[in-house]
């Protein structure tokens, strides 16, 4: 995992190979797998990103290899992630 200045992850948040840019916020109980999160992006508590590329492709960019890119100051929606 490559980190830049001040990414913040909640106590039980899990990351699996993401690239986190400045001031990224990852909530408690999240799963971030193989995603690129740009500056000020947010994955709220209970959400997932990079786990289901087909689902991620609707609101975000997904590469041919399945990596999800969350643009600057974007937020992952809890819809369909199992989060509350």
């Amino acid at each position: 995992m490559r980190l830049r200045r001040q990414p913040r992850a909640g106590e039980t948040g899990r990351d699996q190979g993401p690239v986190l840019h400045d001031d990224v916020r990852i909530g408690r109980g999240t799963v971030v797998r193989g995603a690129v999160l740009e500056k000020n992006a947010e994955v709220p508590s209970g959400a997932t990103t990079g786990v289901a590329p087909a689902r991620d492709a609707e609101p975000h960019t997904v590469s041919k290899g399945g990596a999800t890119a969350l643009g600057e100051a974007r937020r992952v929606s809890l819809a369909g992630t199992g989060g509350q």
Side-chain angles (χ1 to χ4, degrees), residues 27-49:
R28 183 176 282 186
T30 63
V31 177
V32 178
R33 183 179 297 153
V36 177
L37 306 182
E38 295 291 336
K39 182 178 180 179
N40 296 317
E42 179 180 358
V43 183
S45 295
T48 64
T49 191

Side-chain angles (χ1 to χ4, degrees), residues 8-69:
R8 296 181 292 272
E11 287 179 20
T12 59
R14 292 183 292 155
D15 62 73
Q16 299 170 341
V19 176
L20 307 176
H21 288 261
D22 293 350
D23 299 317
V24 166
R25 292 173 304 284
I26 300 174
R28 183 176 282 186
T30 63
V31 177
V32 178
R33 183 179 297 153
V36 177
L37 306 182
E38 295 291 336
K39 182 178 180 179
N40 296 317
E42 179 180 358
V43 183
S45 295
T48 64
T49 191
V51 176
R55 185 195 67 229
D56 290 345
E58 178 67 28
H60 308 295
T61 302
V62 177
S63 73
K64 289 180 182 179
T68 299

